[in-house]
Amino acid sequence: FLCCERAAQSRFDLIPAHIRTASLSVSMPRFCSRTIGSAALLAWAVFVSWSRADTWTVEPGVRSPNLTSTCTVQLPDDSWRHYYHGNVYRTSPDGLTFSTARPLPGLMTPPGFFDRNPAVLVDGQGYVMIVERVAVANQSVVVGLYRATSTDGLTWTAEPTPVLTPNAAEAGFMSVPELIAVDASLWRLYYVVRGDVVASATTTDRGRTWSREGRLIVTGLAAGERYVDPDIIRTPAGHLRMFAAIIPATIPTGIGNQRIRAAVSDDGRTFHFAPYDLIGVTNNTEAKIDPDVVALPGGGYRMYFGAGASAGGPIDLYSATTPALAAPIVTGPATATGA
């Protein structure tokens, strides 16, 4: 969710009554993470079909009213920490019941501006945050992405100037950063540009400087569909799995009728979407946005996501779980087709 503060509620017949089956065929050109210590770039493979969707079950209750776009970090004691808009955090022993919001010392926003959509990565040196700064008077005006560091994830040192600012190719807009480790020295940042697609950039100095890579290559979306709010994890098989909010062709701008789907990649730049809604909608005004997926200590995954009943209405934070991620059928390389 992009152009306004994400702050809910609706009817939630979120999960299909049964697992739908279908086949998606793609072939793509050959191209030569919030996980920590992930493997080096994998050999290229083309994902040609999905035999089924993940089965996600929405957990009872609201995790928090008027909240979306969290960044969740698992702590050494298997408790959880949410970072979110306004430079605050909260903790939970079980990922379901959270403490009240607490400020993050060292993160101060200048008057007239607001920080939102934090992405946090933990490595052997501590914590790095990339956060989006917008103008309070018009939150579609993105000043840039800013960097902060911490040794404990609580007290931060913020840099005064942005590490990335939106350019003309990005239509002057960048939002919803997502930060992952490719290997011990290379990190990749994903972020929404133009308000309807995702681009990436890389760094070898823990986010101080970035090299833009341009927009991602994607397959599996219908004509006119767009995707935003990327959240990326590495699966046990070593693939990258993107969760994103899909904007249908019938919604030109704003929020409404968005649902959450998944895509898979081996190289971090070319993603293949499955033709299934993981978190769906029941009418054309509902919105399911801002997926935030974490692996659970006992196995399976939890997704936090924002849910709203109508465009411009409040957005609340919900959660869903799955015992496992559905695997695509893999072959490749294959002949190129446009995307």
Side-chain angles (χ1 to χ4, degrees):
F1 173 46
L2 305 170
C3 297
C4 62
E5 164 127 20
R6 293 85 153 311
Q9 172 65 283
S10 171
R11 302 173 358 179
F12 293 101
D13 302 319
L14 298 176
I15 305 299
H18 61 283
I19 300 172
R20 292 174 291 165
T21 58
S23 177
L24 170 66
S25 295
V26 299
S27 57
M28 289 298 300
R30 182 171 182 172
F31 289 85
C32 199
S33 261
R34 214 168 353 226
T35 32
I36 302 161
S38 54
L41 287 175
L42 302 173
W44 171 254
V46 175
F47 298 86
V48 296
S49 67
W50 296 75
S51 61
R52 63 180 178 85
D54 306 342
T55 303
W56 290 86
T57 301
V58 177
E59 297 179 289
V62 179
R63 301 285 76 78
S64 181
N66 300 310
L67 177 63
T68 189
S69 195
T70 55
C71 178
T72 306
V73 172
Q74 183 180 7
L75 302 177
D77 62 358
D78 287 340
S79 65
W80 303 92
R81 183 182 294 156
H82 270 170
Y83 297 95
Y84 55 98
H85 62 256
N87 296 325
V88 299
Y89 78 100
R90 62 183 190 171
T91 57
S92 172
D94 58 5
L96 297 174
T97 303
F98 285 85
S99 66
T100 57
R102 302 166 185 167
L104 292 165
L107 297 183
M108 299 295 294
T109 307
F113 297 94
F114 182 74
D115 289 351
R116 66 184 187 187
N117 301 327
V120 177
L121 190 148
V122 189
D123 68 1
Q125 300 181 54
Y127 294 68
V128 173
M129 177 187 293
I130 302 295
V131 66
E132 168 191 347
R133 181 163 295 171
V134 298
V136 172
N138 183 355
Q139 292 192 25
S140 65
V141 177
V142 179
V143 180
L145 303 181
Y146 287 73
R147 177 179 182 266
T149 57
S150 174
T151 57
D152 61 4
L154 298 176
T155 300
W156 293 80
T157 300
E159 297 181 5
T161 57
V163 293
L164 280 172
T165 56
N167 60 26
E170 297 159 344
F173 184 85
M174 54 177 28
S175 185
V176 197
E178 167 69 351
L179 188 59
I180 69 165
V182 176
D183 57 33
S185 60
L186 180 66
W187 295 0
R188 178 170 277 125
L189 182 73
Y190 298 89
Y191 55 97
V192 176
V193 298
R194 296 187 343 190
D196 60 3
V197 293
V198 175
S200 67
T202 58
T203 180
T204 56
D205 58 9
R206 302 185 78 238
R208 295 178 182 88
T209 59
W210 293 92
S211 298
R212 282 176 164 91
E213 298 180 295
R215 293 163 55 184
L216 302 183
I217 298 167
V218 299
T219 66
L221 296 179
E225 287 185 330
R226 293 141 291 157
Y227 69 111
V228 294
D229 305 344
D231 186 77
I232 298 177
I233 65 172
R234 192 175 295 280
T235 71
H239 308 308
L240 293 176
R241 170 75 76 101
M242 177 196 293
F243 299 86
I246 305 301
I247 306 172
T250 55
I251 304 295
T253 59
I255 295 180
N257 202 16
Q258 286 147 317
R259 65 286 311 280
I260 296 171
R261 295 183 192 159
V264 177
S265 175
D266 264 2
D267 67 355
R269 288 282 301 153
T270 301
F271 283 84
H272 311 287
F273 274 97
Y276 311 101
D277 294 344
L278 304 182
I279 305 292
V281 297
T282 60
N283 58 60
N284 61 7
T285 63
E286 284 186 76
K288 306 300 188 300
I289 58 175
D290 295 326
D292 174 19
V293 178
V294 292
L296 297 176
Y301 297 83
R302 174 173 285 125
M303 179 195 301
Y304 300 98
F305 62 95
S310 62
I315 299 173
D316 295 340
L317 189 71
Y318 285 77
S319 63
T321 58
T322 185
L325 301 177
I329 300 170
V330 181
T331 63
T335 304
T337 60

